[in-house]
Amino acid sequence: MGFVYVARSASLSNWGSDVGLGKHLFKLGYTDDSAEAAVKDLVATVHAGAPDWVLVRKEAAEGVDEAQLLARLGRKEKMLEPALYPRLKGAGDIVKVKLVNGEHHRLLKQAYGNEALKVTKLRDPDIAAYLIANALG
């Protein structure tokens, strides 16, 4: 059994904010091992030039690969092009999230679940749940 996971780096978010991309940058990935081990690998290899990756959320998934997940998510959110940003060092799996899309997703989920609609500020786990839901289709 594999896992789809979302990780976040504070230094990459600060860089994104400084260059005008916004601070909501996340890495979506898939691993056949544990998600915690995958994030440790990100830290060890200084993925996208960031040494401080933290696991935000993970979900079990079968029969998918990372390329499929990124292609599905790329229809909804902007995937950063590593050729345009040398800081990414070839990492094509970094996602720039529009908070409006995440808020819309959460409100629709509440409405379809017959829950009371609550408008609150999105947190990282909420954004990660949105990314995983869209990546899995």
Side-chain angles (χ1 to χ4, degrees), residues 7-8 12 17 21 36 40 42-43 53 59 69 78 98 100 106 108 134:
R8 183 166 195 249
L12 189 67
S17 180
L21 288 172
E36 291 82 5
K40 284 182 183 178
L42 294 176
V43 171
W53 290 98
E59 276 191 33
L69 296 172
K78 180 181 178 186
K98 292 181 188 173
V100 172
R106 187 173 57 182
L108 284 176
N134 278 306

Side-chain angles (χ1 to χ4, degrees), residues 7-79:
R8 183 166 195 249
S9 166
S11 63
L12 189 67
S13 295
N14 289 338
W15 168 80
S17 180
D18 290 345
V19 298
L21 288 172
K23 65 179 184 175
H24 303 289
L25 302 177
F26 294 86
K27 187 240 185 288
L28 178 79
Y30 178 80
T31 182
D32 290 325
D33 299 327
S34 72
E36 291 82 5
V39 172
K40 284 182 183 178
D41 288 343
L42 294 176
V43 171
T45 60
V46 190
H47 186 73
D52 57 345
W53 290 98
V54 176
L55 180 65
V56 179
R57 187 179 180 105
K58 66 179 179 178
E59 276 191 33
E62 295 242 3
V64 296
D65 65 344
E66 192 165 340
Q68 284 178 320
L69 296 172
L70 293 173
R72 282 188 201 141
L73 187 59
R75 289 185 238 148
K76 188 77 172 177
E77 293 294 336
K78 180 181 178 186
M79 305 299 293

Side-chain angles (χ1 to χ4, degrees), residues 56-134:
V56 179
R57 187 179 180 105
K58 66 179 179 178
E59 276 191 33
E62 295 242 3
V64 296
D65 65 344
E66 192 165 340
Q68 284 178 320
L69 296 172
L70 293 173
R72 282 188 201 141
L73 187 59
R75 289 185 238 148
K76 188 77 172 177
E77 293 294 336
K78 180 181 178 186
M79 305 299 293
L80 295 186
E81 179 62 43
L84 296 177
Y85 303 103
R87 158 75 191 243
L88 297 181
K89 298 183 181 185
D93 53 2
I94 306 298
V95 182
K96 176 187 173 194
V97 178
K98 292 181 188 173
L99 288 183
V100 172
N101 292 346
E103 291 168 351
H104 185 214
H105 172 78
R106 187 173 57 182
L107 285 174
L108 284 176
K109 188 175 175 183
Q110 289 173 355
Y112 287 137
N114 290 330
E115 300 173 22
L117 297 180
K118 294 183 230 172
V119 179
T120 58
K121 186 175 179 181
L122 282 181
R123 304 283 181 211
D124 288 347
D126 300 326
I127 295 170
Y130 158 71
L131 290 174
I132 291 173
N134 278 306

